[in-house]
Amino acid sequence: MEKAKVYYSDLRTSPTSNLLDKMERLLKRAGIEQLPLKDSFAAIKIHFGEPGNLAYLRPNYAARMATLLRSLGAKPFLTDCNTLYSGRRANAVDHLQSAMENGFNPISAQCQVIIGDGLKGTDYREIPLNGEYCPAPKIGAAIADADIVISMNHFKGHEQAGFGGALKNLGMGCASVGGKLELHCASQPKIDVENCIGCNICVKHCAHDAVHLNTSRKAEIDYTKCVGCGQCVALCQHDGAVMGAEDTSERLNYKIAEYALAVVMGKPHFHISFIMNVSPECDCWNHNDAAIVPDLGILASADPVALDKACADMVIQAPILHSNNRLATAHEHDDLCGRDKFHLMHPDTDWLAGLRHAEKIGLGTMEYELMKI
């Protein structure tokens, strides 16, 4: 496979060229105008950030993206899917409120904000993939129904995947609640009997008749019938139905790659990543630790695998900020030269295996040429 082109812009500005202008020039140089945008529904996949976290992308970037897409004839909308864990983005009502608090609304973002997998995370499409780990990824319906997918990615650390970039934003971020269960778990969901209130919602909505209430009016799962779809986890508002044991980092990254392929399969797609505020962990947390490296720039490509590899290479090669963050605190006496920052932050992760799997299944290539504009 020939090298993919990844376009890069530094963060230097002038009175005649601010960062929004530079982002738009980068997008155009990288070929976004060549997409069949006229009259298309264009999903802009972005992470709205858990309230309390301040490392997520500013809504100004999303607004400029939406304005550019609309000028090219598209019908853009901002989107993300609900979370598997209970937080302030676990259902569409709370999720939209959180997005609004963080500055993402139709006025500021210049487009509509749509939660991809619906009110309770149960609105999804199964995309037949025949993947090695995920036969039919469960993708949020609004994203699956979109004509074009644009990912806007905050490149940062991630406690399970190693780092979060384009593949994580696509693969994990576009998965419905049940899809996220499939990604994270090595086993089927389970019932936390202390939290179960016997409301019966999981029983009513289990399509496989795998859940029932016992004599104590607590839910029980018949694992001979359970297929691990995650519907009970998505519907339970009391943390009574919860995910089982977490999968390994390596298998998680394989699954993320397959989910990301399902999101873009058969569709035009384009990706832009911001190496800014590179926090050690995901924007899903309600806080963010100090950055591990300086702000490095903005990168864009039609190839999400090449884009992630280019971003990872830049972060690994950058000097470590010995501020009071997780990396410096845990390894302040180590010789850090040549060592992988993502493995230093999260030693159990295997992000490179995920990129190799993404390349193997045809999502893109790790071989890239960096084009500075």
Side-chain angles (χ1 to χ4, degrees), residues 303-346:
D303 186 321
V305 181
L307 180 61
D308 271 1
K309 184 62 165 63
C311 289
D313 287 345
M314 288 186 69
V315 169
I316 289 170
Q317 293 162 15
I320 290 177
L321 294 175
H322 277 279
S323 58
N324 187 24
N325 60 31
R326 173 171 177 163
L327 181 58
T329 301
H331 300 278
E332 62 181 336
H333 301 300
D334 286 358
D335 177 9
L336 300 177
C337 293
R339 295 187 64 182
D340 182 334
K341 293 180 178 66
F342 304 115
H343 283 149
L344 285 171
M345 287 188 293
H346 310 292

Short mmCIF file of all heavy atoms in Angstrom, two decimals, residues 303-346:
data_model
loop_
_atom_site.label_atom_id
_atom_site.label_comp_id
_atom_site.label_asym_id
_atom_site.label_seq_id
_atom_site.Cartn_x
_atom_site.Cartn_y
_atom_site.Cartn_z
N ASP A 303 -7.02 9.40 5.60
CA ASP A 303 -6.68 8.08 6.14
C ASP A 303 -6.57 8.16 7.65
O ASP A 303 -5.61 8.74 8.18
CB ASP A 303 -5.36 7.60 5.54
CG ASP A 303 -5.00 6.18 5.92
OD1 ASP A 303 -5.24 5.78 7.08
OD2 ASP A 303 -4.47 5.44 5.07
N PRO A 304 -7.53 7.60 8.41
CA PRO A 304 -7.49 7.73 9.87
C PRO A 304 -6.35 6.97 10.53
O PRO A 304 -5.87 7.36 11.60
CB PRO A 304 -8.86 7.18 10.31
CG PRO A 304 -9.25 6.22 9.23
CD PRO A 304 -8.70 6.82 7.95
N VAL A 305 -5.89 5.87 9.90
CA VAL A 305 -4.79 5.09 10.47
C VAL A 305 -3.48 5.87 10.36
O VAL A 305 -2.73 6.00 11.33
CB VAL A 305 -4.68 3.72 9.77
CG1 VAL A 305 -3.55 2.89 10.39
CG2 VAL A 305 -5.99 2.96 9.84
N ALA A 306 -3.23 6.40 9.18
CA ALA A 306 -2.02 7.21 8.98
C ALA A 306 -2.04 8.44 9.89
O ALA A 306 -1.01 8.83 10.44
CB ALA A 306 -1.92 7.63 7.52
N LEU A 307 -3.21 9.03 10.04
CA LEU A 307 -3.34 10.21 10.89
C LEU A 307 -2.98 9.88 12.34
O LEU A 307 -2.22 10.61 12.99
CB LEU A 307 -4.76 10.75 10.81
CG LEU A 307 -5.09 11.99 11.65
CD1 LEU A 307 -4.22 13.18 11.24
CD2 LEU A 307 -6.57 12.35 11.53
N ASP A 308 -3.51 8.78 12.87
CA ASP A 308 -3.20 8.38 14.24
C ASP A 308 -1.71 8.08 14.41
O ASP A 308 -1.10 8.43 15.42
CB ASP A 308 -4.03 7.16 14.64
CG ASP A 308 -5.37 7.55 15.24
OD1 ASP A 308 -5.67 8.75 15.33
OD2 ASP A 308 -6.14 6.63 15.61
N LYS A 309 -1.13 7.40 13.42
CA LYS A 309 0.31 7.06 13.52
C LYS A 309 1.15 8.32 13.50
O LYS A 309 2.12 8.45 14.27
CB LYS A 309 0.71 6.13 12.37
CG LYS A 309 2.16 5.63 12.44
CD LYS A 309 2.40 4.81 13.70
CE LYS A 309 3.70 3.99 13.61
NZ LYS A 309 4.90 4.81 13.52
N ALA A 310 0.80 9.28 12.65
CA ALA A 310 1.55 10.53 12.59
C ALA A 310 1.45 11.30 13.90
O ALA A 310 2.45 11.83 14.40
CB ALA A 310 1.05 11.38 11.42
N CYS A 311 0.25 11.36 14.47
CA CYS A 311 0.06 12.05 15.75
C CYS A 311 0.85 11.36 16.86
O CYS A 311 1.51 12.03 17.67
CB CYS A 311 -1.42 12.10 16.11
SG CYS A 311 -2.42 13.20 15.08
N ALA A 312 0.77 10.03 16.90
CA ALA A 312 1.51 9.29 17.93
C ALA A 312 3.00 9.52 17.80
O ALA A 312 3.70 9.73 18.80
CB ALA A 312 1.17 7.80 17.84
N ASP A 313 3.51 9.49 16.58
CA ASP A 313 4.95 9.71 16.37
C ASP A 313 5.36 11.10 16.86
O ASP A 313 6.41 11.25 17.50
CB ASP A 313 5.29 9.56 14.89
CG ASP A 313 5.25 8.11 14.42
OD1 ASP A 313 5.25 7.21 15.28
OD2 ASP A 313 5.23 7.89 13.19
N MET A 314 4.54 12.10 16.57
CA MET A 314 4.89 13.46 16.99
C MET A 314 4.89 13.59 18.51
O MET A 314 5.79 14.23 19.08
CB MET A 314 3.90 14.46 16.38
CG MET A 314 4.08 14.69 14.90
SD MET A 314 3.01 16.00 14.24
CE MET A 314 3.75 17.44 14.99
N VAL A 315 3.91 12.98 19.17
CA VAL A 315 3.84 13.06 20.63
C VAL A 315 5.01 12.31 21.26
O VAL A 315 5.64 12.80 22.22
CB VAL A 315 2.50 12.53 21.15
CG1 VAL A 315 2.51 12.37 22.67
CG2 VAL A 315 1.36 13.46 20.74
N ILE A 316 5.33 11.14 20.74
CA ILE A 316 6.43 10.34 21.30
C ILE A 316 7.76 11.08 21.16
O ILE A 316 8.62 11.04 22.05
CB ILE A 316 6.48 8.96 20.62
CG1 ILE A 316 5.28 8.11 21.07
CG2 ILE A 316 7.78 8.23 20.93
CD1 ILE A 316 5.09 6.84 20.28
N GLN A 317 7.93 11.79 20.04
CA GLN A 317 9.18 12.50 19.79
C GLN A 317 9.27 13.84 20.53
O GLN A 317 10.35 14.43 20.64
CB GLN A 317 9.34 12.73 18.29
CG GLN A 317 9.55 11.44 17.50
CD GLN A 317 9.28 11.61 16.01
OE1 GLN A 317 9.21 12.73 15.50
NE2 GLN A 317 9.13 10.50 15.31
N ALA A 318 8.15 14.33 21.04
CA ALA A 318 8.13 15.65 21.69
C ALA A 318 8.73 15.58 23.08
O ALA A 318 8.69 14.54 23.75
CB ALA A 318 6.70 16.16 21.75
N PRO A 319 9.26 16.70 23.56
CA PRO A 319 9.79 16.72 24.95
C PRO A 319 8.68 16.58 25.96
O PRO A 319 7.58 17.10 25.77
CB PRO A 319 10.46 18.10 25.04
CG PRO A 319 9.75 18.94 24.01
CD PRO A 319 9.42 18.00 22.89
N ILE A 320 8.97 15.87 27.03
CA ILE A 320 7.99 15.69 28.10
C ILE A 320 7.96 16.94 28.98
O ILE A 320 9.00 17.50 29.32
CB ILE A 320 8.32 14.45 28.94
CG1 ILE A 320 8.07 13.19 28.13
CG2 ILE A 320 7.51 14.43 30.22
CD1 ILE A 320 8.43 11.92 28.84
N LEU A 321 6.77 17.38 29.30
CA LEU A 321 6.61 18.49 30.24
C LEU A 321 6.67 17.93 31.65
O LEU A 321 5.76 17.23 32.09
CB LEU A 321 5.27 19.20 30.00
CG LEU A 321 5.12 19.92 28.66
CD1 LEU A 321 3.69 20.46 28.54
CD2 LEU A 321 6.13 21.04 28.52
N HIS A 322 7.72 18.23 32.38
CA HIS A 322 7.86 17.71 33.74
C HIS A 322 7.08 18.60 34.71
O HIS A 322 7.61 19.18 35.64
CB HIS A 322 9.32 17.62 34.15
CG HIS A 322 9.97 16.37 33.66
ND1 HIS A 322 9.85 15.17 34.30
CD2 HIS A 322 10.72 16.13 32.57
CE1 HIS A 322 10.52 14.24 33.64
NE2 HIS A 322 11.05 14.80 32.58
N SER A 323 5.80 18.69 34.43
CA SER A 323 4.92 19.39 35.36
C SER A 323 4.29 18.34 36.26
O SER A 323 4.63 17.17 36.22
CB SER A 323 3.87 20.19 34.59
OG SER A 323 3.12 19.33 33.76
N ASN A 324 3.37 18.75 37.07
CA ASN A 324 2.77 17.83 38.02
C ASN A 324 1.64 17.06 37.36
O ASN A 324 0.47 17.25 37.65
CB ASN A 324 2.25 18.60 39.24
CG ASN A 324 1.77 17.65 40.32
OD1 ASN A 324 2.20 16.50 40.38
ND2 ASN A 324 0.88 18.13 41.17
N ASN A 325 2.01 16.17 36.42
CA ASN A 325 1.00 15.33 35.79
C ASN A 325 1.31 13.86 36.06
O ASN A 325 2.32 13.51 36.67
CB ASN A 325 0.90 15.60 34.28
CG ASN A 325 2.21 15.33 33.56
OD1 ASN A 325 2.98 14.47 33.95
ND2 ASN A 325 2.46 16.08 32.49
N ARG A 326 0.42 13.02 35.58
CA ARG A 326 0.54 11.59 35.88
C ARG A 326 1.86 11.01 35.39
O ARG A 326 2.50 10.22 36.08
CB ARG A 326 -0.63 10.85 35.21
CG ARG A 326 -0.53 9.34 35.29
CD ARG A 326 -1.78 8.67 34.81
NE ARG A 326 -1.63 7.23 34.83
CZ ARG A 326 -2.62 6.39 34.78
NH1 ARG A 326 -3.85 6.83 34.72
NH2 ARG A 326 -2.42 5.09 34.80
N LEU A 327 2.30 11.39 34.20
CA LEU A 327 3.52 10.84 33.63
C LEU A 327 4.75 11.26 34.43
O LEU A 327 5.58 10.43 34.81
CB LEU A 327 3.66 11.30 32.17
CG LEU A 327 4.88 10.79 31.41
CD1 LEU A 327 4.89 9.27 31.38
CD2 LEU A 327 4.88 11.33 29.99
N ALA A 328 4.86 12.56 34.71
CA ALA A 328 6.03 13.05 35.45
C ALA A 328 6.07 12.51 36.86
O ALA A 328 7.12 12.16 37.38
CB ALA A 328 6.02 14.58 35.46
N THR A 329 4.90 12.42 37.50
CA THR A 329 4.85 11.94 38.88
C THR A 329 5.27 10.48 38.98
O THR A 329 6.01 10.08 39.88
CB THR A 329 3.43 12.11 39.44
OG1 THR A 329 3.07 13.48 39.37
CG2 THR A 329 3.35 11.63 40.88
N ALA A 330 4.84 9.67 38.02
CA ALA A 330 5.11 8.23 38.09
C ALA A 330 6.53 7.89 37.65
O ALA A 330 7.06 6.87 38.04
CB ALA A 330 4.10 7.47 37.24
N HIS A 331 7.14 8.75 36.82
CA HIS A 331 8.41 8.37 36.22
C HIS A 331 9.46 9.48 36.28
O HIS A 331 10.33 9.54 35.43
CB HIS A 331 8.18 7.96 34.75
CG HIS A 331 7.24 6.82 34.60
ND1 HIS A 331 7.62 5.51 34.75
CD2 HIS A 331 5.91 6.79 34.34
CE1 HIS A 331 6.57 4.72 34.56
NE2 HIS A 331 5.54 5.47 34.32
N GLU A 332 9.41 10.33 37.29
CA GLU A 332 10.30 11.49 37.28
C GLU A 332 11.77 11.11 37.38
O GLU A 332 12.64 11.91 37.00
CB GLU A 332 9.92 12.46 38.39
CG GLU A 332 10.04 11.89 39.80
CD GLU A 332 9.61 12.91 40.85
OE1 GLU A 332 9.68 14.10 40.54
OE2 GLU A 332 9.21 12.51 41.94
N HIS A 333 12.11 9.90 37.83
CA HIS A 333 13.51 9.50 37.95
C HIS A 333 13.94 8.57 36.82
O HIS A 333 15.08 8.12 36.79
CB HIS A 333 13.76 8.81 39.30
CG HIS A 333 13.43 9.68 40.46
ND1 HIS A 333 14.06 10.89 40.68
CD2 HIS A 333 12.52 9.55 41.45
CE1 HIS A 333 13.57 11.44 41.77
NE2 HIS A 333 12.63 10.66 42.25
N ASP A 334 13.04 8.28 35.88
CA ASP A 334 13.39 7.37 34.78
C ASP A 334 14.10 8.13 33.67
O ASP A 334 13.94 9.33 33.50
CB ASP A 334 12.14 6.72 34.20
CG ASP A 334 11.57 5.66 35.11
OD1 ASP A 334 12.18 5.43 36.17
OD2 ASP A 334 10.54 5.06 34.76
N ASP A 335 14.91 7.38 32.91
CA ASP A 335 15.45 7.92 31.66
C ASP A 335 14.38 7.74 30.60
O ASP A 335 14.10 6.63 30.15
CB ASP A 335 16.72 7.15 31.28
CG ASP A 335 17.29 7.62 29.95
OD1 ASP A 335 16.80 8.64 29.43
OD2 ASP A 335 18.20 6.95 29.43
N LEU A 336 13.78 8.84 30.18
CA LEU A 336 12.62 8.75 29.30
C LEU A 336 12.99 8.79 27.83
O LEU A 336 12.12 8.69 26.98
CB LEU A 336 11.65 9.90 29.62
CG LEU A 336 11.12 9.92 31.05
CD1 LEU A 336 10.24 11.14 31.27
CD2 LEU A 336 10.33 8.66 31.34
N CYS A 337 14.26 8.97 27.50
CA CYS A 337 14.63 9.10 26.09
C CYS A 337 14.27 7.84 25.31
O CYS A 337 14.63 6.73 25.68
CB CYS A 337 16.13 9.36 25.96
SG CYS A 337 16.62 10.96 26.62
N GLY A 338 13.56 8.02 24.22
CA GLY A 338 13.24 6.90 23.34
C GLY A 338 12.12 6.02 23.83
O GLY A 338 11.78 5.04 23.17
N ARG A 339 11.52 6.32 24.96
CA ARG A 339 10.47 5.46 25.48
C ARG A 339 9.11 5.98 25.04
O ARG A 339 8.91 7.17 24.81
CB ARG A 339 10.55 5.38 27.00
CG ARG A 339 11.84 4.70 27.47
CD ARG A 339 11.80 4.50 28.96
NE ARG A 339 10.74 3.60 29.35
CZ ARG A 339 10.48 3.27 30.63
NH1 ARG A 339 11.21 3.80 31.58
NH2 ARG A 339 9.51 2.47 30.92
N ASP A 340 8.17 5.05 24.91
CA ASP A 340 6.82 5.36 24.44
C ASP A 340 6.02 6.02 25.55
O ASP A 340 5.74 5.42 26.58
CB ASP A 340 6.18 4.03 24.01
CG ASP A 340 4.80 4.18 23.44
OD1 ASP A 340 4.11 5.15 23.77
OD2 ASP A 340 4.41 3.31 22.65
N LYS A 341 5.63 7.26 25.34
CA LYS A 341 4.92 8.00 26.39
C LYS A 341 3.59 7.36 26.76
O LYS A 341 3.16 7.40 27.90
CB LYS A 341 4.69 9.45 25.95
CG LYS A 341 5.97 10.26 25.82
CD LYS A 341 5.67 11.68 25.39
CE LYS A 341 6.93 12.52 25.30
NZ LYS A 341 7.83 12.07 24.25
N PHE A 342 2.93 6.76 25.78
CA PHE A 342 1.63 6.16 26.05
C PHE A 342 1.79 4.92 26.94
O PHE A 342 0.96 4.66 27.81
CB PHE A 342 0.92 5.81 24.74
CG PHE A 342 0.77 6.98 23.84
CD1 PHE A 342 1.40 7.02 22.61
CD2 PHE A 342 0.02 8.08 24.22
CE1 PHE A 342 1.29 8.12 21.79
CE2 PHE A 342 -0.10 9.18 23.40
CZ PHE A 342 0.54 9.20 22.18
N HIS A 343 2.89 4.17 26.74
CA HIS A 343 3.13 3.03 27.61
C HIS A 343 3.61 3.47 28.98
O HIS A 343 3.37 2.80 29.98
CB HIS A 343 4.14 2.08 26.96
CG HIS A 343 3.55 1.24 25.87
ND1 HIS A 343 4.28 0.81 24.78
CD2 HIS A 343 2.29 0.79 25.68
CE1 HIS A 343 3.49 0.10 23.98
NE2 HIS A 343 2.29 0.07 24.51
N LEU A 344 4.28 4.62 29.05
CA LEU A 344 4.69 5.13 30.36
C LEU A 344 3.47 5.54 31.18
O LEU A 344 3.40 5.33 32.38
CB LEU A 344 5.62 6.33 30.18
CG LEU A 344 7.05 6.01 29.74
CD1 LEU A 344 7.79 7.29 29.40
CD2 LEU A 344 7.80 5.24 30.82
N MET A 345 2.48 6.13 30.49
CA MET A 345 1.27 6.56 31.20
C MET A 345 0.41 5.36 31.57
O MET A 345 -0.14 5.28 32.66
CB MET A 345 0.45 7.50 30.31
CG MET A 345 1.02 8.88 30.15
SD MET A 345 -0.14 9.94 29.29
CE MET A 345 -0.18 9.19 27.67
N HIS A 346 0.28 4.43 30.62
CA HIS A 346 -0.65 3.31 30.78
C HIS A 346 0.09 2.03 30.35
O HIS A 346 -0.04 1.58 29.21
CB HIS A 346 -1.90 3.53 29.94
CG HIS A 346 -2.52 4.87 30.15
ND1 HIS A 346 -3.12 5.24 31.34
CD2 HIS A 346 -2.61 5.96 29.35
CE1 HIS A 346 -3.57 6.48 31.25
NE2 HIS A 346 -3.27 6.94 30.05
#
